[in-house]
Amino acid sequence: MPRNEAGAFLMSRRAALTPLQMGLAPTDRRRVPGLRREEVAALAGVSPDYYARVEQGRVRPSPDVVRAISRALRLGREEHAYLCSVLGPPGGAGDPSPPAVMPPPALARLVDDLTMPAVVLS
């Protein structure tokens, strides 16, 4: 059971939805009512590990991820606003992710010219 307000809210919203409602194939055995974390993660387009960390309050997701989770859980406008308020701002205190650093212009041009997805690290 999560010890944070956002986690408790996300768990309650998962429990309120069934795989059938979400167009997912039903399975025989379910340990939790409603959707599993892995199912919400897949619907939101994030990794199951990352979604679990969001629900546990260990990361502060970006606004895009919060919107994706809200869509996956079919949250209304008020529910989405509440989720944003309990998650706090991205990059808030306790968020281990470092601030974004822009790559040198030559490297940015090289990545822009690639015809496949790319990530620049360090």
Side-chain angles (χ1 to χ4, degrees), residues 29-111:
R29 301 179 67 164
R30 299 190 78 77
R31 292 182 3 209
V32 296
L35 298 178
R36 295 179 175 128
R37 282 181 176 165
E38 295 81 14
E39 293 166 333
V40 174
L43 291 167
V46 298
S47 76
D49 179 61
Y50 186 77
Y51 178 79
R53 288 185 284 146
V54 169
E55 198 172 278
Q56 294 164 355
R58 296 189 301 154
V59 295
R60 302 271 189 253
S62 71
D64 288 337
V65 171
V66 175
R67 279 191 293 276
I69 292 171
S70 292
R71 278 192 305 275
L73 293 173
R74 296 185 175 175
L75 300 183
R77 187 177 310 207
E78 294 81 19
E79 292 170 316
H80 173 75
Y82 175 75
L83 181 60
C84 290
S85 72
V86 295
L87 283 173
D95 188 344
S97 57
V101 177
M102 296 303 295
L107 181 57
R109 282 192 303 277
L110 174 69
V111 171

